[in-house]
Amino acid sequence: MAALAGLLADATSAVFRLALLDGRAWTATELARHAGIAASTATAHLNLLTEGGLLVEERQGRHRYVRLAGPEAAELVEHLSALAPGRLATPPRTLSAATRRSAMARARTCYDHLAGLLGVTITETMAERGLLDWRRGPALTAAGAEWLDALGIALPENSERPAVRPCLDFTERRPHLAGTVGAALSRHAFDAGWIVRIGTTRAVSLTPEGRDAISNHLDLRHHAILEP
């Protein structure tokens, strides 16, 4: 536990972990550029994170990629971010920084599921409609399973990952939906063209089709998240 805490306490490693929350694999060079450090320094940090079990390595020919070790590692990063009170207290210094922060708070991915106001709104609305039951686990209800089936969303069989798992949102400070259900919803939203990524960040934007779909399938009307 002490060794893990040491890895989590390093500021440079924290920058890497937050970047890797997009669920994609990055090279050491890309992460070094993102953090503004030398590639050799980045490699040393990544080796420690991989040895500590927070990252996994993938190789394609001569290229080495790293990604978060799995959903548990991603949710740990998100939880720690939510528990850091000073993260959002410092006002952005530029208009572009303010725009990026606003977009991230509005809608983003957290590893393989949706987060930000969009993710929390979907989660809370599903609970209000009886599709999720937070009192029992939480759990997907029979009505929730039928709702997913009607959308054409199939959950993986024999998965060791929980179907429903709360993940504390670092901007909303309320849980959004993780687990296989959260991942399946996010994947469906991308595949159906309901959401698109904003540049190379974790922020996503609802498309007109996405606004209509969420409004119809969750019976949401005139919600702030549906505004263009």
Side-chain angles (χ1 to χ4, degrees):
M1 186 177 296
L4 176 61
L7 291 175
L8 295 172
D10 183 80
T12 300
S13 296
V15 173
F16 291 167
R17 293 192 303 272
L18 288 171
L20 291 166
L21 270 179
D22 65 3
R24 293 176 286 187
W26 292 52
T27 66
T29 301
E30 290 170 334
L31 287 169
R33 189 180 304 116
H34 176 74
I37 60 175
S40 57
T41 303
T43 298
H45 283 283
L46 294 174
N47 287 340
L48 291 174
L49 290 169
T50 302
E51 292 167 3
L54 290 174
L55 304 183
V56 292
E57 179 181 291
E58 298 177 0
R59 288 190 178 273
Q60 293 186 6
R62 295 181 299 172
H63 299 287
R64 176 204 184 196
Y65 297 85
V66 293
R67 64 169 70 246
L68 288 171
E72 291 80 8
E75 289 164 25
L76 173 62
V77 175
E78 183 81 1
H79 276 264
L80 288 174
S81 298
L83 294 173
R87 177 172 171 77
L88 297 176
T90 304
R93 298 180 178 179
T94 64
L95 178 59
S96 60
T99 301
R100 287 194 300 271
R101 177 178 291 190
S102 177
M104 286 280 286
R106 182 176 176 85
R108 66 181 182 277
T109 54
C110 174
Y111 191 59
D112 61 358
H113 53 272
L114 296 174
L117 180 60
L118 175 62
V120 170
T121 298
I122 291 174
T123 302
E124 293 181 345
T125 305
M126 288 180 67
E128 291 169 2
R129 293 193 57 196
L131 307 179
L132 296 175
D133 186 352
W134 289 111
R135 299 169 299 175
R136 300 179 181 178
L140 181 71
T141 65
E146 292 176 1
W147 182 77
L148 291 175
D149 187 62
L151 286 174
I153 299 177
L155 300 179
E157 297 181 1
N158 303 320
S159 175
E160 296 181 358
R161 186 179 180 185
V164 177
R165 186 168 181 170
C167 184
L168 183 61
D169 196 277
F170 84 79
T171 51
E172 292 296 312
R173 306 300 172 100
R174 293 175 286 165
H176 58 243
L177 182 62
T180 57
V181 174
L185 276 171
S186 177
R187 184 168 56 252
H188 183 78
F190 275 114
D191 292 345
W194 296 353
I195 56 175
V196 292
R197 288 195 182 275
I198 300 176
T200 59
T201 70
R202 288 196 290 134
V204 299
S205 176
L206 274 173
T207 64
E209 294 79 9
R211 287 193 290 272
D212 289 342
I214 289 177
S215 177
N216 293 331
H217 294 306
L218 288 175
D219 196 25
L220 281 174
R221 298 291 185 275
H222 310 298
H223 193 285
I225 197 62
L226 302 179
E227 295 177 2

